Amino acid sequence: MSADHSLHDPLQGVEEAAEYREKYNRQLSDNDVVALRQQALAEIDNAKFGMFHVKACMVAGIGFFTDSYDIFAINLCSLIMGYVYYADAVGPAKNTTPTNIDMWIKGATQLGCIIGQFTFGYLADRLGRKRIYGVELIIIIVCTIGASFSGNTMRGLSVYWVLFIWRFVLGIGIGGDYPVSAIITSEFATTKNRGAMIAAVFAMQGFGIVAAAIVALIVLACFKGAVEGDQLKLDYVWRIIMGLGTTPRYTIDIEQNVKRAAIDVQTTVNGRRDLGDEAYAAQAAHNDKKVKKPNWTEFYNHFKKWKHFRVLMGTAVTWFALDVAFYGVNLNSSIILQAIGFVSSESPYKAILKNTAGNIILNLLGTLPGYWVTVFTIDRLGRKTIQYIGFVMLLILFCILGFAYHQILDKSVAAFVVLITLANFFQNFGPNTTTFIIPSEAFPTRFRSTCHGISAASGKIGAVIAQLGFFHLKDRGGKNKFIPQLIQIFALFMLVGLLFTWFVPETKGKSLEQLSEESED
C-alpha cells in the first residue's frame, strides 16, 4: 500500500473520517514522525496476542508447509523413480536411481535456494516486503506443476535433467520465502510472543515433511493393484506426489493479507476497527517513505565494525553447520533406512511402502515434537539456550551413531532408529529453528531481510555440500559402507555450530529496535 493511496482513500460519506485524516496529515507535517514511529512500534511490541497474529502466522506458515513439502518430497520421489526408469537395469543398479543423478535432483532445489534467499532478501530491503511477497508464490506454483510433468525430450535431455531444471528454479522461489516470511512475521509480532510466532511459522516445515510422506503413502495405496501388476505404473505415483505440493498455496490470498497488514495492526491493539485504522496505515506508509533505501556501501560501513560483523558471522556459520547434518540426514533418510536394514529387498510396492512408513515414524516421533516444544518454550528458555542444547545433544548423538554404528546395528535396528529419531528431535528443538529465528530479529530494519537471506543462503551452501559429500563418499569401500564416517563428519559440524553460537546474541524479551541499536531518526 503506497503512502498516496493511504492518505487519499476517504471513507465516503463520513465527515468525521475526513476531518480525522486532515488533522493527521497536519501531524505528519509538524516534524512528529519520530514520536509517531515510537508510538506505533510500542503498540506493536506491547499488543495482546490476537487473531491478527494468528492470521499472520497462518499466511506465512502455509508457505513453509508447501516449501518443505516440495523440498523433501524428492526424497521419496527419487526412490520411486528408480523403479520406473531403471527397472531394466541389472545387478545392484536395478530399480535404483544412479548416485550422481540422485545427488543432482536432490541438490537442485538447494542450489536454487541459495540464489533465491540472497536475491529476495536484498530486494525485500530495497523495494519493500509487500512488493516482493507473492512473487515467489508464482515461481513455486509454476515450477512444481512443471516438475510433475517432466519427461524426456526428443533429443538431449532426459526426464531427470528436465526435473533438475524445474527444481532449480523452484528453489529460487522457495529461497525467497525464507527471508521475506521470517521478516514479515518478526516485524508484526509482539516482543513477548515474537519467538513463539516465528517458531510457529517455521514449525509448519515439520507438517510439510510429514505430509509429503503421508501423501506418498496414500497415493501408493491407491495404486496398489496397478503397481503390483506393473511397477512402471509408479510413474504416476511420483508425479502426483510432487504435483500436490502446490495445493495448499491456493488456499490463502497472500497479497491481500500483506497489503492490509498495516491497518490490521490497530485492530490487534484494541480489538476493534475504528477511525484510527486508516490513520495508522497512513503512518506506516509515511514512515516507509522516510526509511533510507539500503546500499552496499552503507552495508559495508555497518558490518566492517566487529560488533556487527560477529553477529552476521555467527548466524551464517551456525546455519551453515546445522544444514550440513540436517539435509545430509533428512534428504537421505530413505538411503539410511535401506542401509541399516529397515527396508528389505521385497517387491517394489512393499519396499516403497516400508520406506515411506519409516520416514513417517522418524518425523512424527522426532521432527514434529521438536518444532512444537520449541514453539512453547522459546520465549521462556531463550533462543541461544535452545541452540546450545540442540548442538550439544546432536554432537553427542552423532558421535554415538557414527562411532558405534555397527555395534548398535548388530544389537538392534530399532535402537538405531530411536537414536536417529532423537537426533531429529534435537535438530528442531535446537538449531534448525533458532538459526531461522535469530537472523529475523538481530539486525537493523534496513538490512534485516538481506542479512536473513545471507544467513539462510549460508545454510543452503551447507546443504549442497552435504549432498555432494554424502553421495560422493557414501559408497567408499562398498555400497553405503562409508555412512558411519559421514555421521562422524556431521558430529564435527555440530561442534563448529556449538562454538560459533557464542557470537550469536540472545534476542529474548528485547524489541527489534533494542537488538539492532537503530537510531530514531
Side-chain angles (χ1 to χ4, degrees):
M1 181 182 293
S2 67
D4 290 341
H5 178 75
S6 300
L7 295 172
H8 298 95
D9 179 28
L11 301 176
Q12 295 180 358
V14 184
E15 292 182 359
E16 186 179 3
E19 291 172 1
Y20 190 102
R21 183 175 283 106
E22 183 179 353
K23 177 182 177 181
Y24 178 76
N25 287 337
R26 287 198 299 270
Q27 277 187 303
L28 290 180
S29 65
D30 290 336
N31 298 319
D32 287 334
V33 172
V34 172
L36 289 168
R37 178 177 182 270
Q38 288 178 322
Q39 178 184 353
L41 293 173
E43 288 180 345
I44 294 172
D45 288 337
N46 300 315
K48 292 182 179 179
F49 188 84
M51 282 306 300
F52 167 71
H53 296 106
V54 174
K55 184 175 71 173
C57 289
M58 288 177 62
V59 170
I62 200 70
F64 274 97
F65 175 91
T66 51
D67 291 347
S68 64
Y69 182 104
D70 288 333
I71 289 173
F72 292 99
I74 194 63
N75 179 30
L76 292 168
C77 288
S78 179
L79 174 72
I80 296 169
M81 290 173 74
Y83 287 95
V84 176
Y85 298 102
Y86 290 88
D88 296 329
V90 295
K94 185 176 178 62
N95 294 332
T96 303
T97 299
T99 297
N100 285 339
I101 295 175
D102 197 23
M103 173 183 70
W104 285 112
I105 62 170
K106 287 181 178 177
T109 308
Q110 315 310 319
L111 288 169
C113 279
I114 295 170
I115 297 172
Q117 286 163 338
F118 182 79
T119 303
F120 278 83
Y122 171 72
L123 291 176
D125 281 335
R126 184 72 182 173
L127 303 178
R129 283 49 160 160
K130 292 181 293 185
R131 293 179 64 180
I132 295 301
Y133 200 42
V135 174
E136 81 282 7
L137 165 64
I138 298 170
I139 296 174
I140 291 169
I141 291 174
V142 171
C143 291
T144 302
I145 295 172
S148 66
F149 284 97
S150 296
N152 294 312
T153 60
M154 291 297 294
R155 290 189 178 88
L157 296 179
S158 71
V159 61
Y160 286 105
W161 276 110
V162 174
L163 182 60
F164 172 87
I165 294 168
W166 279 116
R167 288 190 62 81
F168 174 78
V169 182
L170 170 69
I172 295 175
I174 291 175
D177 219 12
Y178 271 71
V180 180
S181 292
I183 299 308
I184 287 176
T185 307
S186 173
E187 292 175 349
F188 280 129
T190 65
T191 299
K192 181 180 178 181
N193 299 310
R194 189 177 62 237
M197 281 186 64
I198 304 171
V201 168
F202 194 62
M204 294 302 291
Q205 185 181 74
F207 285 117
I209 295 171
V210 173
I214 292 175
V215 168
L217 196 67
I218 293 171
V219 175
L220 188 64
C222 291
F223 279 80
K224 179 181 178 181
V227 170
E228 289 181 334
D230 179 5
Q231 74 180 61
L232 296 184
K233 297 295 184 182
L234 285 166
D235 196 40
Y236 294 105
V237 174
W238 75 263
R239 295 177 188 277
I240 293 171
I241 294 169
M242 192 172 290
L244 287 176
T246 64
T247 304
R249 302 214 65 139
Y250 285 109
T251 62
I252 291 183
D253 185 353
I254 291 175
E255 188 68 18
Q256 178 67 15
N257 277 280
V258 175
K259 286 186 175 181
R260 296 192 61 82
I263 296 174
D264 287 343
V265 167
Q266 184 70 16
T267 306
T268 304
V269 174
N270 57 25
R272 63 185 176 86
R273 182 171 298 281
D274 56 27
L275 294 173
D277 294 347
E278 292 291 335
Y280 195 92
Q283 173 195 319
H286 183 86
N287 287 340
D288 281 346
K289 289 184 68 177
K290 295 291 184 181
V291 174
K292 291 191 296 182
K293 299 296 183 183
N295 57 67
W296 290 112
T297 301
E298 187 180 3
F299 182 91
Y300 170 77
N301 288 334
H302 181 83
F303 285 101
K304 72 180 181 181
K305 299 176 183 176
W306 172 246
K307 70 174 183 177
H308 299 312
F309 176 74
R310 69 193 292 271
V311 177
L312 182 58
M313 179 181 67
T315 59
V317 174
T318 53
W319 204 334
F320 168 85
L322 178 277
D323 273 7
V324 170
F326 181 78
Y327 284 95
V329 172
N330 286 280
L331 271 182
N332 302 297
S333 56
S334 295
I335 294 173
I336 294 172
L337 288 171
Q338 288 178 325
I340 66 175
F342 185 86
V343 180
S344 57
S345 299
E346 302 174 273
S347 68
Y349 176 82
K350 289 181 179 179
I352 296 170
L353 187 69
K354 198 166 184 179
N355 204 309
T356 304
N359 276 277
I360 293 173
I361 291 169
L362 290 176
N363 290 304
L364 278 180
L365 298 183
T367 302
L368 270 181
Y371 281 116
W372 289 97
V373 170
T374 304
V375 171
F376 292 113
T377 61
I378 193 164
D379 286 314
R380 291 196 296 273
L381 296 178
R383 288 69 157 153
K384 199 167 182 176
T385 300
I386 291 175
Q387 187 156 308
Y388 271 130
I389 291 171
F391 273 128
V392 168
M393 292 304 300
L394 288 168
L395 175 60
I396 294 170
L397 287 166
F398 284 138
C399 281
I400 294 171
L401 288 166
F403 289 101
Y405 181 89
H406 295 291
Q407 294 90 324
I408 296 170
L409 288 179
D410 288 342
K411 295 289 185 181
S412 172
V413 172
F416 194 95
V417 172
V418 168
L419 290 171
I420 283 286
T421 301
L422 281 173
N424 280 350
F425 176 85
F426 282 107
Q427 282 177 332
N428 298 296
F429 177 58
N432 188 45
T433 305
T434 55
T435 54
F436 176 81
I437 293 172
I438 294 171
S440 70
E441 302 175 307
F443 300 104
T445 302
R446 63 190 183 279
F447 302 133
R448 188 172 293 133
S449 186
T450 301
C451 291
H452 195 283
I454 291 171
S455 302
S458 299
K460 287 301 178 286
I461 291 172
V464 170
I465 289 173
Q467 283 303 102
L468 294 175
F470 190 94
F471 283 102
H472 276 111
L473 296 174
K474 73 181 183 72
D475 293 329
R476 289 187 65 180
K479 186 174 182 180
N480 296 328
K481 294 295 184 181
F482 203 74
I483 286 180
Q485 288 77 13
L486 284 171
I487 297 175
Q488 294 167 21
I489 293 171
F490 295 159
L492 177 62
F493 278 98
M494 296 306 94
L495 178 60
V496 171
L498 177 63
L499 295 175
F500 275 84
T501 296
W502 188 80
F503 295 105
V504 172
E506 177 53 71
T507 58
K508 179 185 73 170
K510 298 178 181 179
S511 72
L512 297 179
E513 288 64 47
Q514 288 175 311
L515 289 166
S516 60
E517 301 178 0
E518 286 187 311
S519 64
E520 297 178 349
D521 52 20

